[in-house]
Amino acid sequence: MHRVFAGLLAALCVSLPAHGQDNPGDIVVSGVRTDNGTPGGLWLADTAAPQPLTLIGSTLSPLDNAASLAIDPFDPTRFYAGTYSRRLGGELTPTYLLRLELRGGALRKADVLNYSEMDEDIVLAVVPLGEHLYYLGRHSVGRVPLSGGKVEQLVELPDWVEPRGMASDGRYLYAAATPFSLVTIDLVDLRTLKPLASIPRGSEEIQNVAMDNEGHLLVVTANPSGNARLLRYHHTSGVLLNQLVLPLIGARAVAQDPENGLIHVVGATAPSTSGVLTIADWKVARGPVGNLPNALPALVIQRPRHAFFQRGLGCKADDGKVPSIGTVGRPGQRAPYFGVTVATTPNSPVLFCAGIEDTNVGPFDLKIIGAPGCWLAVDPFVIAFHRTDARGAAIQYLPHAATPTQYNGIRLNAQWVVGASTANLLGAALSDAVRITIRD
């Protein structure tokens, strides 16, 4: 078994595609139908002459009314959309969750994921997490398998909620619950909504949210007087970190490029047109450009957002913080190593635990052995001992292999255990867990 696992670790050269596949960094926006019936659509919008994306030979009308977009965390050629069932001729059209494939600047494929009808008239946000696509509707939070299946409604939203957008860092969902408030939703218990931040009640309203590259929350607003702002809030304290007045009538969506750090915002430039702004170092660097029709409620950058799927199951160490798990290096045939890192208290003993994912084995609450709130999400059969350095860092390197296709599709779980003498009776803290998918 250990020999098999060593081979799996060697196979990680193909676990995650390297950045910069087809059209890296392209800005993709979606627009909904106008009141006069003009169809919406998808556009490549990072040029002065936006390129419409149409699926050749398709009659899939939901592509004309995508209200939300998200990029697959592993594959930048794949992204997801949720639609708006704007009434046409007095009839309400169905609402869809879609999986799209974009290669070479062309939309190659579109599949409907929801095999059952949705009790929603609009999907305001979609977030791929693990094996599911989570969605935020006007009335509920739910999910559907990424491979397609029955829609599972997870939480019915209270009457006071007027959702505007949702994002995730893999540990929590962050949502605009009303036009004036932001909340944090625990993925372990989706019924738990914790207030995060708010803007003064008045004419300015939150329009959408996104995660930045540091895990904080980007928020765009609109004002009937013709003002718009970009705001940045700390993901745990809710403190306003940055703000910028935008040269837009109203902002609708925002995304940050994970490679170069540029922030892109889409919004109205005139009553019937929209454009894209590029922001560098919290100053407008370009735009608005595009002259796009329709209201544009969604924007994504065609790059993978992160290296692996993180599940928030960790617990606090002696410093009062959950040990942070991450990666180092860029997976790929030419890179010598791919590493899983931990950041926690300095000079502490740590264990790297990894094992093949078993869907029949759920996270185990360690409260029974003296560590309440700590969840072990790995069925480990490999454990490596380390000690953090003076900065609190440690790393487990995983070698690449030349021909790892025999392990394609296998999923590994990994997690760090940290010595924490004062944290609980067990004397241990855990990082969040991650899933690493081996892909050819």
Side-chain angles (χ1 to χ4, degrees), residues 333-397:
Q333 294 274 359
R334 298 178 183 176
Y337 292 103
F338 171 62
V340 181
T341 63
V342 64
T344 184
T345 51
N347 304 309
S348 297
V350 293
L351 300 177
F352 174 76
C353 301
I356 298 175
E357 181 173 80
D358 184 349
T359 56
N360 295 317
V361 178
F364 179 70
D365 190 348
L366 299 183
K367 66 181 179 181
I368 193 172
I369 54 175
C374 297
W375 294 78
L376 181 65
V378 176
D379 185 14
F381 55 83
V382 163
I383 297 176
F385 294 86
H386 296 271
R387 178 173 288 273
T388 59
D389 59 21
R391 299 173 301 166
I395 183 170
Q396 175 67 46
Y397 285 106

Side-chain angles (χ1 to χ4, degrees), residues 4-18 74 307-308 326-341 352 354-355 382 396-414 434-440:
V4 172
F5 191 77
L8 291 174
L9 295 184
L12 282 171
C13 63
V14 294
S15 63
L16 308 164
F74 295 107
F308 47 43
T327 60
V328 66
R330 180 175 296 179
Q333 294 274 359
R334 298 178 183 176
Y337 292 103
F338 171 62
V340 181
T341 63
F352 174 76
V382 163
Q396 175 67 46
Y397 285 106
L398 307 176
H400 293 294
T403 56
T405 54
Q406 68 205 79
Y407 304 114
N408 189 39
I410 292 178
R411 297 181 179 89
L412 304 178
N413 287 336
V434 296
R435 172 192 289 126
I436 303 171
T437 302
I438 298 176
R439 292 186 177 178
D440 183 4

Side-chain angles (χ1 to χ4, degrees), residues 185-207:
I185 306 171
D186 196 328
L187 277 168
V188 175
D189 182 3
L190 290 169
R191 294 183 294 273
T192 302
L193 275 67
K194 177 182 177 182
L196 178 66
S198 62
I199 63 174
R201 288 184 173 269
S203 56
E204 183 182 32
E205 295 186 357
I206 296 171
Q207 298 297 308

Side-chain angles (χ1 to χ4, degrees), residues 267-278:
T269 56
S272 59
T273 59
S274 300
V276 179
L277 283 175
T278 299

Side-chain angles (χ1 to χ4, degrees), residues 158-372:
D159 292 338
W160 60 267
V161 171
E162 186 183 341
R164 294 297 181 94
M166 183 175 72
S168 179
D169 59 2
R171 172 61 182 92
Y172 296 98
L173 296 172
Y174 300 88
T178 74
F180 312 104
S181 63
L182 302 170
V183 299
T184 302
I185 306 171
D186 196 328
L187 277 168
V188 175
D189 182 3
L190 290 169
R191 294 183 294 273
T192 302
L193 275 67
K194 177 182 177 182
L196 178 66
S198 62
I199 63 174
R201 288 184 173 269
S203 56
E204 183 182 32
E205 295 186 357
I206 296 171
Q207 298 297 308
N208 218 327
V209 300
M211 300 302 302
D212 76 357
N213 293 345
E214 297 181 19
H216 300 306
L217 203 60
L218 296 173
V219 177
V220 287
T221 70
N223 186 311
S225 301
N227 298 318
R229 286 198 298 165
L230 171 64
L231 310 171
R232 180 173 178 253
Y233 290 95
H234 193 279
H235 72 289
T236 58
S237 68
V239 170
L240 179 63
L241 301 175
N242 304 90
Q243 60 178 314
L244 178 67
V245 176
L246 304 173
L248 295 168
I249 295 176
R252 292 299 305 271
V254 59
Q256 184 172 27
D257 192 310
E259 289 268 341
N260 57 35
L262 295 176
I263 298 174
H264 302 283
V265 177
V266 66
T269 56
S272 59
T273 59
S274 300
V276 179
L277 283 175
T278 299
I279 296 162
D281 298 322
W282 286 87
K283 296 179 181 178
V284 176
R286 179 172 178 254
V289 298
N291 195 32
L292 293 152
N294 309 84
L296 303 172
L299 177 153
V300 291
I301 313 297
Q302 198 184 3
R303 298 192 199 267
R305 286 295 305 176
H306 49 77
F308 47 43
F309 170 56
Q310 183 172 332
R311 287 181 290 173
L313 298 168
C315 55
K316 295 177 181 179
D318 288 340
D319 61 358
K321 299 178 182 178
V322 175
S324 177
I325 190 170
T327 60
V328 66
R330 180 175 296 179
Q333 294 274 359
R334 298 178 183 176
Y337 292 103
F338 171 62
V340 181
T341 63
V342 64
T344 184
T345 51
N347 304 309
S348 297
V350 293
L351 300 177
F352 174 76
C353 301
I356 298 175
E357 181 173 80
D358 184 349
T359 56
N360 295 317
V361 178
F364 179 70
D365 190 348
L366 299 183
K367 66 181 179 181
I368 193 172
I369 54 175

